[in-house]
Amino acid sequence: SAERKWWKEAVVYQIYPASFLDSNGDGLGDLNGIISKLDYIKGLGATAIWLSPIFKSPQKDMGYDVSDYRSIHAPYGSLEDAEQLIKEMHHRDIKLLLDLVVNHTSDQHAWFQESRQSKTNPKSDWYIWRDAKIGPDGNAQEPNNWRSIFGGSAWHWCKIRQQYYLALFLSEQPDLNWDNAGMRKATHEDMRFWLDRGVDGFRIDSMNLMSKHPDLPDAAIVDPQERYQPGDAWFALQPNMHVYLQEMRREVFDHYDVMTVGELGFTKDADSVRAFVARDRRELDMVFTGDIVDMDFGAAGKYARRDFHPSTMRDITDKWQTAMPRFDGWNSVYLENHDSGRSVSRYASDRPEHRANSAKLLATYLLSLGGTPFLLAGEEIGMANLGPEYGIDAYIDVEGRNHYRSVLEARGGDDSSMGDVLREMQLKARDHGRLPMQWSAEANAGFTSSDARPWMTVNKDHFDWNVAAQLDDKDSVYAYYKSMLAIRKEYMETLVYGKFEMLPVTRTGEFGIGYERKGHGKAQEHMVVFLNLSEAKLEVPSEEYQGWSVVIGNNSKVDAAAHMITLNAYGAIVL
Ligand code: ISL
């Protein structure tokens, strides 16, 4: 893994196209908006962009329901605009990763439109079709009891074909049949379409779900009150996925200089991850494991309560930072994406007095670990969740809405009983990761013209938290990110390629995290990072670090005479 690669040295900036910048006043971000901010992204120091889906789509799941991979969702722009974006990015040495959504397509995709016509058409087997099953009551019912990830049955009846099709997300997102070689080939061709236009890689959506157990067995009953059960034992991490990924790599990736990152949902198990990323497997460059974004998920999933504790973050960090080099694989590092709440609100504090320090603390963490860091647009200015003053109407994402509705139904439609659900959504709903980018204190945050109607809520905290206010302030969160990015580049041998060692918890207490990074080769720089994930002051003995210099720090100080490093609320330091 010490072998140098551009994608190991990259820092990736994720853009959710609807929410970045609207150049034409329709209230929705677009490609020209992104082009106009490339100098801003370059100025920050990011070297690559991951763009959430921009393809033609009915937008039932914000573009994660693609109806044509070779054209652009018209409100975002045209194919020419996309080509212009690639050109402008490459001109600035910024790489582009597209979001490859091939676990499913939109039900409006030509493939599905053809597949649903009959049991014998050329694409009849490109999706997952089954006859109805006769239930114990003698009535026809779904082929099995799988629950959709967004709620309800995962099976949907098609009148034309007189069969059910599988859709693990929305009914408008039918799952592709990866066992069909013709479908795989067509997907490879769509990938080449973009790679031939200069795209530098893909983030592969829901990759852990792409292959299903051929028998589609019933899921075990974990929730006796529910009709449908989570079937991931049969549709996640199935062995054939590796066969199809190795094929994809041989047929497509190996012919280009690309970077690939697979999304592994909630996969946490190191052996499962190893199988995708170990170098000798010849599958993917890296994956997103799920455990960092579900540090505050309760036993019953995303919206179930569990308080975040820094020790969870310490354990997860230690686990992947040490496992990956053993596998000869490469880590991704991230705290936020478009499916999550904002990290300052979840893992530190977005209270006014702590928010900037919290964001700087998390920046120190994100950019001092081994692997390729990913940040979500707005993370670099400390964007936070919608506050408690926003009610359920501010939330428009389908996952959160479905969840809210099903709990409300179960509680007999009593709105006043929903406070607990709303509180969890205020922490973890996907909407927070999709808030319009806060460019300025102007109306609509400079995201769209002040008289336009933005596609979703603009957080009113943009009056205080925006790019314009931070760009020239050397104490801002933005300035801190920019410095951290410059430091990561300057000390690449240590921070990107170096060894990692977690310091024992006795050194930092249960609310602190400390680790060392050690460069190899000629540049044997040795760094130590201390993070205080709490409001309480944290003191770390510093005898060992006499004569060391402070590389960067936040709300902390070194008292050389007293041999003590003091980390105040949400302080961080790199020596
Ligand atoms: O984020 C989740 C729940 O909040 C996950 O279950 C997530 O849905 C899963 O990891 C897959 O996410 C991806 O595919 C979905 C899409 O809605 C998400 O935005 C995308 O990141 C379906 O395409």
Side-chain angles (χ1 to χ4, degrees), residues 508 513 530-532 536-540 554-557 565-573:
T508 50
I513 301 181
F530 290 110
L531 309 167
N532 177 12
K537 182 165 86 176
L538 178 70
E539 294 191 316
V540 184
N554 157 52
N555 210 20
S556 57
K557 63 172 192 296
I565 302 167
T566 304
L567 300 159
N568 293 310
Y570 301 104
I573 197 164

Side-chain angles (χ1 to χ4, degrees), residues 222-524:
V222 296
D223 223 339
Q225 294 100 299
E226 299 275 336
R227 174 141 174 226
Y228 306 110
Q229 305 291 325
D232 41 300
W234 307 114
F235 63 63
L237 300 173
Q238 298 301 302
N240 278 342
M241 196 57 235
H242 295 290
V243 178
Y244 305 142
L245 266 178
Q246 286 167 10
E247 175 191 65
M248 192 188 281
R249 167 107 175 219
R250 264 190 335 263
E251 294 290 318
V252 186
F253 302 145
D254 277 348
H255 303 274
Y256 302 85
D257 180 19
V258 292
M259 150 175 176
T260 53
V261 48
E263 187 221 9
L264 281 187
F266 297 136
T267 308
K268 302 166 188 181
D269 158 61
D271 284 331
S272 307
V273 168
R274 187 202 164 277
F276 288 100
V277 297
R279 201 153 84 123
D280 58 7
R281 300 278 307 178
R282 302 197 53 73
E283 295 187 15
L284 296 168
D285 295 326
M286 63 190 100
V287 296
F288 294 130
T289 64
D291 37 13
I292 205 79
V293 274
D294 74 2
M295 294 192 285
D296 55 359
F297 287 16
K302 179 170 194 166
Y303 297 110
R305 179 148 203 95
R306 181 173 91 212
D307 287 333
F308 167 71
H309 194 285
S311 62
T312 313
M313 187 157 158
R314 183 191 312 112
D315 293 346
I316 292 170
T317 307
D318 193 20
K319 169 176 153 189
W320 294 118
Q321 288 289 307
T322 52
M324 238 10 122
R326 269 204 319 276
F327 303 157
D328 202 2
W330 192 253
N331 267 303
S332 72
V333 188
Y334 73 104
L335 288 166
E336 294 182 8
N337 61 38
H338 65 289
D339 292 333
S340 72
R342 292 287 181 169
S343 54
V344 278
S345 306
R346 294 172 71 193
Y347 309 136
S349 171
D350 59 11
R351 301 229 317 267
E353 67 275 30
H354 294 311
R355 181 157 160 192
N357 285 324
S358 290
K360 292 174 187 177
L361 165 90
L362 294 170
T364 312
Y365 170 84
L366 182 76
L367 297 170
S368 66
L369 290 171
T372 301
F374 290 72
L375 61 146
L376 177 64
E379 205 170 331
E380 78 278 19
I381 56 163
M383 272 176 64
N385 284 0
L386 293 171
E389 66 279 17
Y390 287 96
I392 189 65
D393 291 343
Y395 294 80
I396 61 176
D397 172 50
V398 61
E399 180 198 58
R401 289 196 84 93
N402 286 358
H403 170 70
Y404 188 90
R405 192 172 2 93
S406 71
V407 179
L408 184 62
E409 268 165 32
R411 292 183 184 173
D414 178 11
D415 269 311
S416 66
S417 73
M418 294 298 285
D420 57 333
V421 175
L422 189 57
R423 268 191 301 283
E424 290 307 316
M425 289 180 64
Q426 282 161 350
L427 269 182
K428 296 180 261 184
R430 306 201 297 182
D431 301 78
H432 305 295
R434 303 168 179 194
L435 292 170
M437 179 72 179
Q438 294 167 198
W439 294 105
S440 73
E442 287 163 68
N444 287 333
F447 155 72
T448 180
S449 46
S450 49
D451 55 352
R453 215 174 130 229
W455 77 275
M456 78 168 292
T457 322
V458 174
N459 196 341
K460 65 178 165 44
D461 77 356
H462 77 267
F463 293 113
D464 297 318
W465 292 86
N466 61 66
V467 172
Q470 295 191 24
L471 215 44
D472 299 317
D473 171 0
K474 62 179 183 14
D475 292 324
S476 67
V477 173
Y478 168 85
Y480 194 91
Y481 262 92
K482 190 171 163 148
S483 302
M484 252 335 275
L485 280 159
I487 288 165
R488 189 173 176 84
K489 191 170 170 195
E490 183 177 350
Y491 300 105
M492 189 178 287
E493 285 299 335
T494 308
L495 292 176
V496 176
Y497 291 107
K499 290 203 195 77
F500 172 93
E501 196 180 324
M502 188 60 84
L503 294 172
V505 60
T506 47
R507 195 79 74 82
T508 50
E510 60 167 334
F511 299 110
I513 301 181
Y515 46 87
E516 295 187 345
R517 305 297 322 275
K518 218 179 236 176
H520 30 219
K522 265 185 281 169
Q524 287 243 356

Side-chain angles (χ1 to χ4, degrees), residues 14 16 50 52-53 61-65 99 101 103-104 149-150 168-170 173 203-209 263-266 293 297 302-303 337-340 397-400 428-430 434:
Q14 183 190 355
Y16 200 64
W50 152 28
S52 279
D61 184 21
M62 290 306 294
Y64 284 90
D65 49 323
D99 213 314
V101 192
N103 171 69
H104 46 267
I149 292 164
F150 290 158
L168 293 179
F169 294 94
L170 299 174
Q173 291 169 300
R203 175 261 189 191
I204 308 176
D205 186 69
S206 303
M207 205 198 65
N208 54 323
L209 311 180
E263 187 221 9
L264 281 187
F266 297 136
V293 274
F297 287 16
K302 179 170 194 166
Y303 297 110
N337 61 38
H338 65 289
D339 292 333
S340 72
D397 172 50
V398 61
E399 180 198 58
K428 296 180 261 184
R430 306 201 297 182
R434 303 168 179 194

